[in-house]
Structure formats: C-alpha cells, structure tokens
Amino acid sequence: MLDPKINKLLNPSAITVPSIPETVLSQRMQITDDLSQLLDILPSSISHCLKEHPNCDRLVEVVMDLGRVPEARFPGESIYLGDVPVSAADLEYSIQRVGIFSGDNRAGIERTLHRISAMRNRGGDIIGLTCRVGRAVFGTISMIRDLVETGQSLLLLGRPGVGKTTALREIARVLADDFDKRVVIIDTSNEIAGDGDIPHPAIGRARRMQVATPELQHKIMIEAVENHMPEVIVIDEIGTELEALAARTIAERGVQLVGTAHGNQIENLLKNPTLSDLIGGIQAVTLGDDEARRRGSQKTVLERKAPPTFEIAIEMLERQKWVIHEDVANTIDILLRSGHPNPQVRTVDEKGEVQITQEEPDITPKPASFGRNSGGIVQQPKGWRASGKMTPVTPFAGKRGSNLSSASEFDRLLDASWTQPEPKGDKIRVPGPNGEDFPVYIYPYGIGRSQLEQVIEVLNLPIVLTKDLDNADVVVALRSHLKNQSKLRQVAKMRQVPIHGVKSNTIPQITRTLQRLLGMDEAKTPETADLRLFTRGGNDDELEALEEARLAVEQIVLPKGQPVELLPRSPKVRKMQHELVEHYRLQSDSFGEEPNRRLRIYPA
C-alpha cells in the first residue's frame, strides 16, 4: 500500500501506468499528471488525435511550429498529429490559455506541472510552442532515501529528460513531510511546484519562492536564507557563476542544499570553469622538486581549491540507474590525479528492490585535458614503492648480536649498492685514435640511464654503462646529488675512480660531459644538432617542432643576431625545444597562455 500522505495529495486524475518499463506497480510509485488540463489548451484537432492515441498516458511533449504539422513525442518514438500544418490562429489559441511567458520564455498552467516553452522570431513574436507534460511521481527517490536522511547536500546531474526535476520535487516533499524540515524551493521557471500562486500538492508542506527573472535566481537564494530560516533549500538548474557562489554561501551557513546542474557526469563540472566551484574549484599549484618527484608528476599540477559545496553527487544515467559519489572531495582528487574512481551504482529491479553495486574502475588511459604541462594531471607513481611490494629491510645484526644504528645500517646498504651483479665476461678493450683504451666503462649516479644510452647510441660513443663500481673507469654523477653524497666521493677516492659532474639531467649537458670525458674537441663536432638526441623516440610532430627550432637558430638567431618566436607547442615538445636551444649555447623562454604558449629564442 502507498503512504496515506501520498493518497491525500493525489487528485482524481492520478493514473497508474503498468505498461511503462519502470512500471508503477513494480516500483511502488504513483503518478499524477493532470493530462486533461494540458489537452484543453491545445486546438481541438490536435487534442482529439491525442485522446484517441493508445499511448496517450505516456506522452512526453507536444511540439507546435508555425507552418509545420504538429508532433507528439513519446518515449522512443514520435508521431505526427494529422496532416494540417499549425497556423498562427492555433498558436494564439494555446497562448491565450496559458500563463504569462517569463524572461526565459516559459509559461505554465495554473496548479499543474506542465511547462509550455516558446520560440520567437526576431521581432519577438511566438512562432513555436513546446508543451511538455509534467508529472508528479511519488516514490522515485527510494534509491537514495538513505542519502537524503544524512542531511548532506545533494547535487543531481544528468541529461535533459532523465528525471532530475521530478526527483528534486520528490526530495523536497519527503524532507518536508516525512522529516518535518523547513524546506524552501527556489522555483525560477515554476517547473518544480507548478504555475500560479498556489503551489502544486506534489511538494507537500515545502514552501516555494518564485523568481521574477532568471537573472535574479542567486539573489532569491540568499533572500530565502536571510528571511525564512530554511533547513533545506532546493534549487533547479544552477547555471551561472553567481548562482554557484550563492550556493556556496548557503552551504557555509549550515543549510542543506539539494540542486541540479548542467552536465551528464561529474567530469563535466570539472571542465566547466563556471560551475567548478560546486565541487570545490580547481587551481594550478606549483610543487617543489622533491614533492614533484615523490608524486611522479611535473611541477605544475591541478588541485582542488576548497571543500566542495555539495558533499554527494548523483549521476542519473537512466530513470532506474543512478551512479552515486558519496564523497565528492575524494572523487575530484582522484580525477585530478588521472585516477579512476569506483562509485556506487544503484538500480531498481523488477520487484522494486534497490540493488547496490560497486562500479569497476575504467583502466583505459584517459587523454590529457587539464593543466599546462602534459595534461597537468598528477600521474600515479610507479615502481616498487607505489606497488606496495617493498618490504622493510631486517636490521643487520653485528657480531655481538646487537643491531647497528640507523646511520651504520645506511652505510651498510650504501656499501652494498656499489657492487651489483653484472653479466660475466672480461672487459673488451680497443685502442683509440690517440692510444686510449676504449670503450670507457661508466658508473652513472643520479642521471637518467635512458638519456645516457640515447646519447651513446646516437653519437656512437665508445662508452659502456656498468652497475659495478669496481669495474668502472669513471663515475658520472649529477652535481646536485654529488654535493650531498660524501660517501660516494670517499668510495670513489678509495678505489681511485675519477668523478665527472653533470650540471643538469638534460641531453646537451650529458652530451658535453661525455665528449669532455673522451677528450673529444667540441669545436670539431658538427654544428648541426642531431635531432634524434632530443626526440625520446617521438613522433613526426615532435621532429617537425625540433626542425623548426633548429632552422630558426641556424638561419636567423646565429647569423643575424635576431630573436625568434616559434609556433605554439605542447609542454612536452617545448621542453625538447629548450634542450635543443641549450645545445647551441643560447637562451630561450616560454611565454603566452595555453594553448598558445610558445618558445622565444634569444641571440647570444
């Protein structure tokens, strides 16, 4: 049996529609649509066709355009109503029987939920009407009743026609009647509580504040809090920055918010600068070197600016399938780090019972779409540390059975790291042009091994990388790491292995260090840079960008002494261009805003 309160609200035109997929009987819902009042405003030829249609109870909307045959739309199908085009007299007939069209070109029928929207020509005359059926469906929020009870703010998302306003109306009634809360509805287009001064019974004891023009919605929101002491405020279609700001102000005053916003999913709000404040706002943050290295990201990333206005977000995919984000803050943080949240999925089965499952995360890589760097998204850290497979090392026990201090343990681990297993085999030496012993065995420290291998391969250098310090002829270390690593200097000195420092972990610096190490005269090396050094196995676009930078340097900057601006490129490609410019001992700088940020090369 239905709730007695619902039966009191229903008028005689209440109908039960067992043929709809989301059947009333199986869902334990009851629908009131006042369809006869909508048919009364239509010309007799149109209303007669609709009354005789077998699926009249499933009508979604009627479209009347001047000079075209009227059209009736049902779930999954559309039909023409007769074969006589709509005349200006037909439009005038309907206009005279509805309320006044407001600033958003919407009108209604008093004490019903139907919405009539107008299309106007350049002169302001109405040349088309969309008469949409409004239905009060009781029992639609059985899937989220537990969330409504929490008192947290709820944000409903979904495509048009999925039932956001219907759910909003039912939430307002449940909070007002079942939980005895002071509920105020901000009804901008009179779609929640119907047209006229007396609200529709479907909202129960909730109160309704009408809005004169859509531009004043944010002011009425604040006025409702200041004048009427609500515990809950219900808002439909938050669409402007001022409305988002007013919503945050209301939430900070301790009032529960229930609203809808434009967008199918929560990612749509993330990309919408106007409404991103509803989920906390997005800001660019510059990380320190250590933090960027720990996260495995670039230095400029996007992060959530503040706590979200709405704690819970509901994506209404279908009428009986909703995706629930119970912690919006956590969801946004995961999305900004290019993660894959796994929210709840709630559906209603044929027996009317709610089924709750956990959505499997989508592991398909997402294209970078935020920030100024390669997506600006904090990449998930990789390797042993992030995988959770690292286990604590058992403290080394001394001869007397006592554990060494943490400093001694560190020294022991560091000593063990100098010698790592290498493939068995003797060193192969070949005399160089000046009697040197080639190849040179290098022990790298703090330098990207892939970059070293790339330079060695492209320039065909007689160098072999080794992990065993005992077999090394020389240590090549990053200066910043070498400065704080006295243990490395001591071990190298004890084993009589020279150390060569590299200023930075870039291709030009590594190239110069290896050339000096081999005694190669840099002046004799070709002036034209080998672009393979800078591409990291890149694509044609990267090669084209590097070729552009090379030609600019060799044909304009060096011979003519003039600065040059290159075409806008992505952050990854600009980094390669910077390294290429550094190879020529020139200075470069990036300027402009994304996506038009580009490189400027200066003469020496």
Side-chain angles (χ1 to χ4, degrees), residues 550-562 603:
R550 185 184 68 80
L551 293 176
V553 170
E554 296 180 358
Q555 296 182 10
I556 300 176
V557 180
L558 289 178
K560 298 182 180 180
Q562 297 178 358

Side-chain angles (χ1 to χ4, degrees), residues 231-491:
E231 293 177 289
V232 182
I233 283 187
V234 178
I235 319 155
D236 195 11
E237 295 184 5
I238 301 174
T240 67
E241 191 171 358
L242 289 174
E243 292 165 6
L245 184 61
R248 174 168 291 279
T249 302
I250 292 171
E252 289 174 351
R253 296 188 183 188
V255 179
Q256 181 182 1
L257 277 172
V258 182
T260 65
H262 302 289
N264 289 345
Q265 297 178 328
I266 201 167
E267 288 96 332
N268 301 132
L269 298 185
L270 202 63
K271 302 173 185 178
N272 189 338
T274 303
L275 300 180
S276 62
D277 190 58
L278 297 177
I279 52 176
I282 308 300
Q283 64 181 355
V285 176
T286 302
L287 305 175
D289 293 338
D290 293 339
E291 179 65 14
R293 193 178 300 111
R294 184 185 69 82
R295 295 190 182 191
S297 71
Q298 297 195 10
K299 296 187 66 174
T300 302
V301 298
L302 291 179
E303 288 192 348
R304 183 167 46 86
K305 189 189 306 182
T309 303
F310 292 88
E311 292 95 343
I312 300 174
I314 302 169
E315 299 173 0
M316 303 174 66
L317 304 183
E318 302 171 7
R319 289 189 178 273
Q320 304 302 329
K321 181 180 180 181
W322 295 359
V323 174
I324 313 296
H325 298 274
E326 291 190 280
D327 188 349
V328 172
N330 183 54
T331 298
I332 297 303
D333 291 342
I334 292 175
L335 289 173
L336 288 177
R337 284 162 174 77
S338 191
H340 309 280
N342 53 338
Q344 282 186 9
V345 178
R346 300 191 180 189
T347 56
V348 178
D349 59 19
E350 296 179 354
K351 298 180 181 179
E353 297 179 356
V354 179
Q355 304 292 330
I356 301 178
T357 58
Q358 206 73 21
E359 187 176 88
E360 291 296 329
D362 181 13
I363 60 174
T364 304
K366 296 183 179 180
S369 55
F370 305 106
R372 298 183 178 180
N373 46 49
S374 59
I377 304 172
V378 181
Q379 300 295 328
Q380 292 285 11
K382 300 177 181 179
W384 284 91
R385 183 183 299 276
S387 68
K389 297 179 181 179
M390 291 185 68
T391 56
V393 178
T394 305
F396 179 75
K399 292 182 179 180
R400 297 183 180 179
S402 60
N403 292 340
L404 299 178
S405 65
S406 58
S408 301
E409 176 65 14
F410 174 75
D411 290 340
R412 184 189 67 80
L413 294 175
L414 193 58
D415 288 338
S417 71
W418 303 134
T419 303
Q420 298 187 26
E422 283 279 306
K424 297 293 183 180
D426 298 331
K427 289 184 178 179
I428 300 175
R429 297 289 192 178
V430 179
N434 299 318
E436 307 95 335
D437 286 335
F438 284 157
V440 177
Y441 286 79
I442 290 180
Y443 178 88
Y445 185 82
I447 301 176
R449 192 178 183 93
S450 61
Q451 292 170 294
L452 279 167
E453 291 173 345
Q454 185 180 358
V455 173
I456 294 170
E457 179 183 357
V458 172
L459 298 183
N460 195 23
L461 300 178
I463 292 176
V464 175
L465 301 181
T466 178
K467 297 180 181 178
D468 189 351
L469 189 59
D470 288 333
N471 292 330
D473 297 322
V474 64
V475 174
V476 177
L478 200 62
R479 288 183 188 174
S480 58
H481 290 192
L482 188 61
K483 193 180 300 182
N484 301 322
Q485 190 49 269
S486 59
K487 186 70 176 178
L488 174 63
R489 296 197 300 269
Q490 294 174 6
V491 173

Side-chain angles (χ1 to χ4, degrees), residues 62-84:
V62 177
V63 176
M64 300 169 58
D65 289 334
L66 184 63
R68 292 184 171 182
V69 177
E71 185 179 346
R73 295 175 179 172
F74 300 90
E77 66 170 340
S78 299
I79 63 169
Y80 288 114
L81 302 174
D83 53 5
V84 180

Side-chain angles (χ1 to χ4, degrees), residues 35 39 42-59 72 74 79-82:
L35 185 59
L39 298 180
L42 302 176
S44 58
S45 60
I46 299 176
S47 62
H48 180 71
C49 292
L50 284 173
K51 289 176 182 178
E52 293 183 347
H53 196 278
N55 292 330
C56 181
D57 295 336
R58 300 178 61 191
L59 180 66
F74 300 90
I79 63 169
Y80 288 114
L81 302 174

